[in-house]
Amino acid sequence: MCRMNAVRSPMAETIARSVLPGTYVASAGVRPGERDPFVDAVLGEVGLSLGRHAPHSLDELEDDYFDLIVTLAPEAHHAALELTRSMAVDVMYWPTPDPTVATGTREQILSSYREVREFLKMLIEKRLKAPG
């Protein structure tokens, strides 16, 4: 879960689905944003795709029964804690840089998105993937 379900959380969802086959994974934002073409570009570099993903909020998810919510932005973390106050759901906070604030050339901006992609992949493999 991130702020607008446009960059960090859909990137994490796509990576998690590839690393954790058979696990239900969904992403959402505090509010929906606009799909970001840089996300498509950096996921495509590693053979992944958002498919038909359209940014949506937590309220718009089909299923609201989760064992774990991973938040990637402060606003999302606060919203998840509020949402789960009376639920048996674990909430993890992985502070993740927002690559949309990057400036410079197209390559410099893509580099920021790649760093987030690799950061999320490392966290998913390290913290969520079962050994073996």
Side-chain angles (χ1 to χ4, degrees):
M1 184 174 171
C2 66
R3 202 165 40 96
M4 296 193 304
N5 191 227
V7 178
R8 293 169 283 188
S9 60
M11 197 182 293
E13 175 186 0
T14 302
I15 295 165
R17 285 181 182 203
S18 74
V19 172
L20 308 168
T23 302
Y24 175 72
V25 179
S27 66
V30 175
R31 62 188 163 282
E34 297 291 323
R35 187 162 170 162
D36 187 318
F38 287 118
V39 173
D40 292 300
V42 299
L43 287 176
E45 292 173 352
V46 294
L48 299 175
S49 170
L50 289 178
R52 295 181 179 199
H53 173 82
H56 52 270
S57 70
L58 192 59
D59 295 334
E60 296 171 295
L61 285 180
E62 293 177 22
D63 188 353
D64 62 356
Y65 298 103
F66 300 103
D67 296 318
L68 172 67
I69 296 175
V70 176
T71 61
L72 307 173
E75 185 178 355
H77 188 66
H78 294 297
L81 290 176
E82 182 65 27
L83 172 77
T84 62
R85 272 190 305 157
S86 62
M87 299 166 67
V89 176
D90 291 327
V91 178
M92 277 185 179
Y93 179 42
W94 297 351
T96 305
D98 181 358
T100 65
V101 299
T103 59
T105 66
R106 175 178 166 74
E107 189 54 37
Q108 290 168 322
I109 293 169
L110 280 170
S111 179
S112 292
Y113 280 74
R114 288 180 190 115
E115 287 173 16
V116 169
R117 178 194 68 206
E118 294 306 310
F119 177 72
L120 290 169
K121 183 175 188 248
M122 181 270 303
L123 286 172
I124 291 164
E125 287 177 341
K126 183 177 178 183
R127 297 185 180 175
L128 300 180
K129 189 174 181 181

